[in-house]
Structure formats: structure tokens, C-alpha cells
């Protein structure tokens, strides 16, 4: 019973997020028009100082990246959010 309760708590605190702030931030990082579509996205509360920046949460997930006139790419991405869901860093990893 204790193990089932711990698994339930894990899913409760790391459930999928419907935030598009991270995908919009990563889309603007490229010099050309690009579309980033999130398929699964998760958010973890972090609430720590990294250097001089306060990071409230880390958003990560997988999705697709589409450049104009090219095939879409499967990607993983990660993004750090400051307080009030303002992205301060993000990175895209091709799958």
C-alpha cells in the first residue's frame, strides 16, 4: 500500500503541463521561422538559485520541430523558467 501511495504522489507532482511558454521561447531562438509542436510536456518545481537567477521550475518534453520546406524533426527539449513562467534558458536536442 505504501508503494502505491508513493507512486501516486510521484505522478501527482510530475504530471503533464499544458504550458506553451517554453515552446514559444525556443521557437524564437532560431533566426528563421520555425514551428515547435509539443507532444508531451512535463514541469518540475525546482525553486533554487542558479548563479544570480532564481529558477522556479524546469519544463521538459518531446515534440516536433518544423523548418520551412523541410521535414519535421523529432526532438527533446528542456527549458528553465523564472518566477511567473518567464523562460530564461532552453535547449533543443534532436532525437
Amino acid at each position: 500500500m505504501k508503494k502505491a501511495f508513493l507512486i501516486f504522489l510521484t505522478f501527482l507532482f510530475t504530471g503533464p503541463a499544458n504550458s506553451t511558454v517554453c515552446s514559444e521561447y525556443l521557437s524564437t531562438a532560431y533566426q528563421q521561422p520555425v514551428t515547435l509542436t509539443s507532444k508531451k510536456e512535463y514541469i518540475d518545481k525546482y525553486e533554487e538559485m542558479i548563479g544570480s537567477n532564481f529558477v522556479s521550475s524546469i519544463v521538459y518534453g518531446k515534440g516536433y520541430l518544423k523548418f520551412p520546406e523541410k521535414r519535421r524533426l523529432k526532438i527533446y527539449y528542456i527549458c528553465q523558467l523564472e518566477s511567473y513562467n518567464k523562460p530564461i534558458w532552453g535547449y533543443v536536442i534532436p532525437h
Side-chain angles (χ1 to χ4, degrees), residues 2-43:
K2 188 186 295 186
K3 189 175 186 179
F5 181 71
L6 291 174
I7 291 172
F8 173 73
L9 284 178
T10 302
F11 285 119
L12 181 66
F13 291 115
T14 60
N18 294 325
S19 172
T20 59
V21 176
C22 187
S23 58
E24 290 173 5
Y25 173 75
L26 293 171
S27 295
T28 59
Y30 291 93
Q31 301 299 325
Q32 55 185 334
V34 65
T35 305
L36 190 133
T37 306
S38 175
K39 295 308 250 181
K40 283 190 176 181
E41 187 169 273
Y42 301 94
I43 187 166

Side-chain angles (χ1 to χ4, degrees), residues 43-76:
I43 187 166
D44 287 336
K45 294 291 181 189
Y46 188 66
E47 298 181 351
E48 293 287 330
M49 291 291 289
I50 297 179
S52 61
N53 295 326
F54 177 74
V55 177
S56 66
S57 56
I58 297 175
V59 178
Y60 59 95
K62 63 181 178 178
Y64 298 101
L65 187 64
K66 175 79 170 92
F67 290 100
E69 300 178 9
K70 292 187 179 177
R71 297 182 72 187
R72 67 182 185 174
L73 299 169
K74 289 183 182 180
I75 59 159
Y76 294 110

